[in-house]
Amino acid sequence: MSPLGNGPGAGPWGEAPGGPEAPGTRETSGARAASGIREAVAADAAALAGIAGAALTHDAEEAASLVARLAAPPAGRSWTALVTRGLDGVAFASMSARDPHAGHIDLLAVRPEARGAGLGRALVAAAEDWLRGRGATEARLAGNPPCYAWPGIDVRYTEAACLAESLGYERYNVAWNMTADLTGDLSVDADLAWLADAGVTVHAAAPGDRAAVSAFAREQWNANWAWEAEQAAGCHYAVREGEILGFAAWGSRPSWFGPMGTAPAARGLGVGRVLLRRCLAEQRAAGMSSAQIGWVGPLRFYARAVGAHAERVFWLYRRGLR
């Protein structure tokens, strides 16, 4: 039985190094074995997308792409997907690259008709068991950047929040998304003329440009943003005299905008506004009428640049593992 994914080097929907006996591919004597929960295999891919689509009522349209994204994380991430015996529920779990003692439950979904039988609790227990086996001393119901489904639990998924709190998870942070209406004016012609006078040009990142943009993101910010720039469906960047000044991307986390950053030398020129609008216009061309700006920091910038408004709110939870 080939595991869906398990540890460093494990490919999406493929077999982990060492074949079916690789560490973690067999049921443990803990929560997984007791409940019949097992690690997903490649043949389960369509079923997992179906579970997510049925359970994630506020994210049904992108449920399949979320599952696919979680199954293709950065190289080296230790992760797994656990499924119930009847393929009625799934949980994705992964270890943090930043904190070796932190584990994440990245997605938890149970078909509505199967709820009330304790499957959600069993999946959380199995995920905790898997994380504990890899050295985690804390489990988080919170996004594991750069490859995540949400920053935390959307407050509208009341059952999930109630489950977390009933299991002893504590709410330790809050995050939010902003929504940008893509039906309005996203023109940048006047801005581009102003930037040209300042010696700045803005470009859509062709495949051959991604490495340079990724290197810029890594140097100026972190490896997470570098990976997202590489994976994004669309990416734009600004240049002056051969030096990248800023970038913006969308679609690394399916359908959402971000990340975006400008170097100190570019601030005050309006580069960020142009990069943002260029990406949003591209999302509109891809058939979207609105875009989620994910895990937002500067509310005021997005509100002024495109009239975005805060909408989705996420609670981040954690608890110690003993």
Side-chain angles (χ1 to χ4, degrees):
M1 181 169 72
S2 300
L4 184 152
N6 195 333
W13 315 110
E15 183 166 290
E21 297 302 317
T25 64
R26 289 180 287 184
E27 290 185 356
T28 70
S29 59
R32 286 165 56 188
S35 60
I37 290 172
R38 61 171 173 83
E39 286 193 296
V41 296
D44 297 324
L48 301 195
I51 296 168
L56 305 175
T57 53
H58 301 295
D59 302 274
E61 291 185 1
E62 62 175 0
S65 60
L66 281 178
V67 167
R69 167 48 69 210
L70 291 175
R77 173 173 289 190
S78 181
W79 67 282
T80 193
L82 304 168
V83 293
T84 58
R85 180 182 291 113
L87 287 175
D88 291 315
V90 61
F92 276 79
S94 64
M95 292 295 295
S96 169
R98 179 179 300 178
D99 182 349
H101 301 295
H104 293 255
I105 299 176
D106 301 296
L107 183 148
L108 176 67
V110 176
R111 290 185 180 276
E113 64 271 19
R115 293 174 186 166
L119 295 184
R121 287 177 174 271
L123 283 165
V124 171
E128 291 176 344
D129 193 36
W130 185 91
L131 294 170
R132 194 179 289 110
R134 280 147 187 82
T137 58
E138 180 179 273
R140 299 174 182 172
L141 290 164
N144 187 7
C147 183
Y148 62 94
W150 306 278
I153 296 177
D154 186 320
V155 298
R156 296 174 300 176
Y157 288 116
T158 305
E159 290 183 352
C162 289
L163 174 62
E165 294 180 7
S166 73
L167 291 173
Y169 281 80
E170 65 169 356
R171 195 186 313 164
Y172 71 96
N173 208 341
V174 63
W176 49 84
N177 284 7
M178 298 185 79
T179 301
D181 181 4
L182 303 185
T183 63
D185 178 22
L186 295 174
S187 62
V188 293
D189 291 345
D191 304 81
L192 288 174
W194 163 262
L195 289 177
D197 288 341
V200 179
T201 57
V202 177
H203 309 270
D209 301 327
R210 291 298 181 100
V213 175
S214 176
F216 168 75
R218 180 176 288 103
E219 178 184 351
Q220 294 287 330
W221 292 282
N222 53 60
N224 287 340
W225 279 22
W227 185 85
E228 290 184 273
E230 293 170 358
Q231 300 295 318
C235 181
H236 294 256
Y237 66 101
V239 179
R240 181 171 58 193
E241 297 179 353
E243 179 184 359
I244 297 178
L245 297 177
F247 83 103
W250 68 273
S252 172
R253 191 278 185 200
S255 82
W256 288 11
F257 171 84
M260 181 182 79
T262 57
R267 290 170 191 165
L269 294 176
V271 168
R273 181 176 187 273
V274 172
L275 291 169
L276 169 63
R277 286 180 163 233
R278 286 281 290 264
C279 281
L280 294 182
E282 201 168 72
Q283 290 182 262
R284 178 170 62 191
M288 303 177 196
S289 59
S290 65
Q292 291 285 303
I293 304 172
W295 217 327
V296 171
L299 288 168
R300 186 167 180 263
F301 167 75
Y302 292 108
R304 295 183 65 182
V306 292
H309 60 278
E311 186 169 33
R312 296 190 72 170
V313 177
F314 304 90
W315 288 331
L316 283 64
Y317 287 92
R318 64 186 176 192
R319 87 177 188 94
L321 297 178
R322 295 182 293 275

